[in-house]
Amino acid sequence: MHFNQYWAYHAVGAVIDTVGPGRVELSTIRRLRQGLALIPEDSDRARTLRAVLARVDYGAA
């Protein structure tokens, strides 16, 4: 499951790069943030998800 999550976060990042961060629904961002709270802080999954969320945050600025 961890392997799948890791690559799913990469896929989400690729979609955000394609459609643009401004087109990501707030509900999706909320779910990603909730998911981040459920995984170990120092894991590759957390690092990948934080990078994805940073792209959304940067795009909203």
Side-chain angles (χ1 to χ4, degrees):
M1 179 164 153
H2 297 170
F3 178 82
N4 292 339
Q5 284 180 330
Y6 174 81
W7 286 108
Y9 297 146
H10 277 283
V12 169
V15 170
I16 290 170
D17 291 344
T18 300
V19 301
R23 298 200 52 204
V24 179
E25 293 185 14
L26 186 56
S27 61
T28 300
I29 297 168
R30 285 184 185 138
R31 281 189 297 245
L32 290 171
R33 289 192 192 285
Q34 288 171 346
L36 182 59
L38 300 175
I39 56 180
E41 235 179 82
D42 62 342
S43 69
D44 289 337
R45 292 176 294 146
R47 283 187 285 279
T48 301
L49 185 50
R50 279 194 300 271
V52 167
L53 289 167
R55 291 203 291 271
V56 174
D57 292 341
Y58 178 77

